[in-house]
Amino acid sequence: MDIKEYLDRHAERINSPSFIDDDPVRFPHRYKDLKDIEIVSFLVANIAWGNRKMILRDAERMLAKLGDRPYGYVMAEEYERLGTANVHRTFFEHDMAYMLRGFRRFYSLYESMDGYMASCGNPSPHKLVEVLRRTAFEANGDRYDVRCYSTDLRNTALKRVNLALRWLVRNDGIVDLGVWKSMTPGQLFIPLDVHVGNTARELGLLSRKSNDWKAVEELTAKLREFNPEDPIIYDFALFGVGIERSNNKKQQNETDIYI
């Protein structure tokens, strides 16, 4: 079996409705309005790092604060009632309020994130982060919050943004929502995390050792050779296989302890 056949087989197996319940993508699936979906996608993707069960638990608690209409919550400035409690690991309620102030300013300037990207001509994750970072900066008294947006757009892998874009753009009707019209799946970049990077290197798809933007470009270019119209479908294969191997290794270590 060659690499493409291997990736296709695992992508088809993992990209299934059963994937949704145990993944952060389940949260934007709860909403129908485009702006609600956008807000929830970027909030949840921003804390999608670390232990998966912890991410799901913390995202549930975070979204409970926004109620049934996240866009309404944002535009009514209800985030000003947030305190300083921890949301997820190093992300706190004041960081969440920072993001939401930025979203309010963004939506006062643009109809939607999808609409903004459509106006860009050649939409990219960097253009989206630039405008979200700028509007958040302006809405928060000209102050940056690195827990919300990276200050090093030239080098960062933009994993969290690329994950949110996968949810919003991929449109095969299985796991991802595909509600955006401004981008095609072929324009997406791989959400490069530890599991994806390690699996890609083991398969000989990625030579760069650092999980930075150059690695994102290298791996995405390789995946486009296999499927130029939908290269990021292979995120399911690379991430899923990486998670399964990690879990199997953890179970083996636990077994060794008792032996």
Side-chain angles (χ1 to χ4, degrees):
M1 182 184 300
D2 66 17
I3 295 295
K4 183 180 186 310
E5 290 176 328
Y6 177 86
L7 292 174
D8 284 335
R9 180 163 63 87
H10 285 291
E12 182 178 1
R13 174 176 64 84
I14 296 169
N15 180 30
S16 67
S18 62
F19 181 88
I20 296 173
D21 286 344
D22 295 322
D23 188 81
V25 74
R26 79 188 196 191
F27 296 107
H29 269 283
R30 295 177 178 177
Y31 302 89
K32 300 298 182 185
D33 180 79
L34 175 62
K35 294 173 185 177
D36 288 342
I37 293 171
E38 290 178 343
I39 290 168
V40 169
S41 292
F42 283 97
L43 268 182
V44 171
N46 197 59
I47 67 167
W49 59 282
N51 180 276
R52 210 167 177 205
K53 289 183 178 179
M54 188 183 295
I55 293 168
L56 298 178
R57 180 200 69 191
D58 293 347
E60 192 77 61
R61 295 192 305 196
M62 176 177 66
L63 295 181
K65 302 177 189 300
L66 275 65
D68 296 332
R69 296 182 63 251
Y71 174 72
Y73 177 96
V74 167
M75 300 312 288
E77 300 180 84
E78 294 184 48
Y79 47 76
E80 296 299 347
R81 296 203 298 264
L82 292 172
T84 58
N86 181 254
V87 176
H88 177 72
R89 303 194 64 162
T90 61
F91 188 79
F92 291 79
E93 284 188 1
H94 57 80
D95 301 307
M96 180 179 168
Y98 180 97
M99 285 190 77
L100 296 180
R101 286 189 198 100
F103 289 160
R104 186 180 188 280
R105 178 164 177 79
F106 178 93
Y107 286 116
S108 71
L109 298 171
Y110 307 100
E111 180 181 354
S112 67
M113 296 184 196
D114 186 31
Y116 168 78
M117 292 292 270
S119 71
C120 288
N122 184 26
S124 71
H126 288 86
K127 286 186 177 180
L128 180 60
V129 175
E130 284 171 0
V131 71
L132 290 177
R133 188 175 67 169
R134 174 173 54 79
T135 51
F137 177 80
E138 294 169 351
N140 286 275
D142 293 350
R143 178 175 61 86
Y144 282 123
D145 186 334
V146 295
R147 291 178 178 83
C148 301
Y149 302 107
S150 172
T151 57
D152 184 14
L153 296 187
R154 294 181 61 185
N155 297 309
T156 181
L158 293 180
K159 178 259 177 178
R160 293 170 292 179
V161 172
N162 285 325
L163 179 61
L165 290 176
R166 197 204 82 198
W167 296 344
L168 293 164
V169 175
R170 284 198 69 256
N171 54 8
D172 61 5
I174 302 174
V175 170
D176 298 316
L177 287 84
V179 293
W180 273 20
K181 307 305 177 188
S182 58
M183 298 179 69
T184 66
Q187 293 174 298
L188 294 172
F189 289 86
I190 191 74
L192 182 61
D193 68 1
V194 172
H195 296 293
V196 170
N198 289 345
T199 306
R201 292 182 184 96
E202 289 175 12
L203 295 173
L205 299 172
L206 179 61
S207 61
R208 189 167 178 81
K209 291 182 171 59
S210 300
N211 286 341
D212 56 12
W213 185 253
K214 288 184 178 178
V216 170
E217 291 182 314
E218 178 187 343
L219 180 53
T220 302
K222 189 65 180 179
L223 299 177
R224 284 176 178 153
E225 293 177 12
F226 299 146
N227 189 339
E229 294 183 354
D230 189 16
I232 310 308
I233 189 173
Y234 297 123
D235 184 37
F236 292 101
L238 296 171
F239 174 78
V241 169
I243 283 285
E244 289 168 355
R245 288 181 178 178
S246 177
N247 290 341
N248 289 339
K249 192 175 296 184
K250 188 182 300 182
Q251 290 173 0
Q252 181 61 49
N253 290 340
E254 291 173 352
T255 302
D256 291 344
I257 291 172
Y258 290 106
I259 292 173

